[in-house]
Amino acid sequence: MNAAITFPVARYRFEFRATQPIRLPDYAGSMLRGAFGHALRHLACMTRQKECTGCPLANGCPYPAIFAPLPPPIHPLQKFTEIPAPQVIEAPAWGSRVLTEGDTLAFHQVLIGRARQELPLIILAWRRAFAHGVGAGDGRAELVRVLHCGQAGDSEIHRPEGGSVDAHVPEIELRRAPVLTGTTLYFATPLRLQENGRALPPDLLRARTLLMALARRANLLAEFHGGGPLLADFSALRQAAAEVRDEKHLVWRDWRRYSSRQRREMRLGGVMGTWRLEGPLDLFATLLQLGEWLHVGKETAFGLGRYTQDTGAPGDIFDEPLHGRERHFQAVDRKEVN
């Protein structure tokens, strides 16, 4: 058996009980991220400056570290205007609806690197967000519990009445398959791979674009929030990616969100469906496992670019409904049962 490596990433499931109606839009990723960021800033920021840039406490403040990390002033390879945040919000299943009093709202959040150490603060921020109101109509909810969703299964680690967070292992183990010649990715939220600032439609997407975007994202997260870069030689990856064949069953899905910072509506659509990759994938095996936690493409902080994979033979997989592959992620709105 090949040696395993670990990566500092953990997924958590938050379960809230509605106390006032909560209106969920078609995709709640933006709504949840905005409410979380506002609450986190209120709890963490001591100077109350409008911007983190130039703040004398920015380097030690958990708000930018978790939500909007500041790029390094100097980097040996390039100048960064922004770097990826060490967290991903995975919203409930697609579809607008209203949760009434007693219904359960459940969603996931992925934390990477240092962000894992701030879990108690993050839990408090979520509680504050839902206590003060989220979404249209300021829906409110109370936290029921938090679960750690590890590779061995889900385990409850926190209830508000207990206060503390139970010990758990906030990392995953990645094992490289001896040979990987094929895999199918099931995209459950829109994938945005861009070229010249525009998201690519299905017919312009290439396997090489996807694989290299995944490699860059994983490497940047490891460098800025983990123990250091994962990859030193991208040339071998580019060569291997160019030889990968693919078969796409992807459709375009529009998604719009209102940006309070830019004061305008933004279109953030992408592709959803299945994407079969075949060829020399050995170099990407670990990255493809990691991508199931980190997501891929643009706007991952909202939960876009989420996928699961199946490394078996293609068979009839393209005929299988996408929602059948989402069981691990979907949150079911339900009445609390005593």
Side-chain angles (χ1 to χ4, degrees):
M1 182 176 291
N2 292 333
I5 62 171
T6 59
F7 192 86
V9 60
R11 175 179 280 120
Y12 299 95
R13 176 182 172 92
F14 292 80
E15 295 182 0
F16 281 84
R17 184 185 301 116
T19 57
Q20 292 185 31
I22 300 174
R23 299 180 181 277
L24 296 181
D26 266 347
Y27 182 66
S30 177
M31 180 193 81
L32 290 173
R33 181 177 179 271
F36 171 69
H38 183 78
L40 180 64
R41 198 176 201 280
H42 180 89
L43 291 171
C45 179
M46 296 182 67
T47 63
R48 302 305 179 198
Q49 291 186 193
K50 290 185 177 181
E51 300 291 338
C52 296
T53 303
C55 175
L57 303 181
N59 289 336
C61 180
Y63 171 74
I66 296 169
F67 194 77
L70 301 174
I74 300 175
H75 191 274
L77 296 181
Q78 68 180 90
K79 179 175 177 58
F80 286 94
T81 57
E82 62 181 17
I83 60 175
Q87 63 92 25
V88 175
I89 293 172
E90 297 176 333
W94 205 284
S96 61
R97 54 202 180 277
V98 178
L99 305 186
T100 59
E101 182 178 351
D103 285 350
T104 295
L105 170 66
F107 57 89
H108 296 81
Q109 186 174 27
V110 177
L111 302 179
I112 303 142
R114 176 194 162 180
R116 301 168 303 158
Q117 303 169 18
E118 303 291 351
L119 180 59
L121 175 62
I122 288 169
I123 292 173
L124 186 59
W126 281 118
R127 293 182 65 183
R128 177 182 174 82
F130 280 95
H132 285 74
V134 299
D138 288 334
R140 288 172 168 79
E142 296 176 340
L143 180 65
V144 176
R145 62 176 185 164
V146 180
L147 293 87
H148 171 237
C149 304
Q151 291 173 307
D154 298 352
S155 59
E156 182 178 294
I157 60 170
H158 174 77
R159 280 185 178 264
E161 56 268 27
S164 62
V165 176
D166 293 345
H168 58 284
V169 181
E171 62 184 19
I172 62 171
E173 190 175 85
L174 302 169
R175 291 187 177 274
R176 182 174 175 181
V179 176
L180 181 63
T181 59
T183 187
T184 302
L185 309 184
Y186 301 80
F187 284 93
T189 59
L191 165 68
R192 289 178 60 84
L193 294 177
Q194 295 188 173
E195 188 174 279
N196 297 324
R198 294 191 174 186
L200 296 171
D203 59 315
L204 295 181
L205 288 172
R206 301 292 180 264
R208 179 181 182 277
T209 307
L210 169 68
L211 293 170
M212 295 311 297
L214 179 59
R216 285 191 297 272
R217 174 164 169 76
N219 207 52
L220 288 175
L221 286 169
E223 176 179 357
F224 292 117
H225 307 298
L230 284 176
L231 308 165
D233 181 14
F234 274 79
S235 59
L237 288 174
R238 293 190 188 94
Q239 183 176 349
E243 299 176 20
V244 174
R245 306 177 304 280
D246 67 344
E247 181 180 355
K248 301 187 293 287
H249 291 248
L250 302 168
V251 295
W252 184 264
R253 183 69 177 265
D254 268 324
W255 174 54
R256 291 176 171 82
R257 63 174 289 263
Y258 181 80
S259 172
S260 56
R261 184 173 63 86
Q262 300 186 39
R263 297 182 180 180
R264 65 184 181 92
E265 187 179 70
M266 303 177 67
R267 296 184 60 181
L268 296 175
V271 299
M272 297 175 64
T274 60
W275 195 342
R276 177 72 184 175
L277 306 176
E278 293 185 350
L281 291 167
D282 288 1
L283 293 179
F284 296 97
T286 299
L287 292 170
L288 287 164
Q289 292 176 60
L290 194 51
E292 294 185 78
W293 299 77
L294 304 182
H295 297 213
V296 63
K298 293 291 186 179
E299 314 301 345
T300 52
F302 298 110
L304 300 194
R306 187 182 83 205
Y307 71 85
T308 57
Q309 68 166 331
D310 185 340
T311 56
D316 296 326
I317 53 175
F318 293 121
D319 297 324
E320 183 178 344
L322 176 62
H323 59 74
R325 309 297 303 185
E326 293 188 81
R327 288 187 296 271
H328 179 72
F329 298 102
Q330 284 189 349
V332 178
D333 303 321
R334 60 189 185 279
K335 293 284 185 180
E336 192 71 13
V337 178
N338 295 322

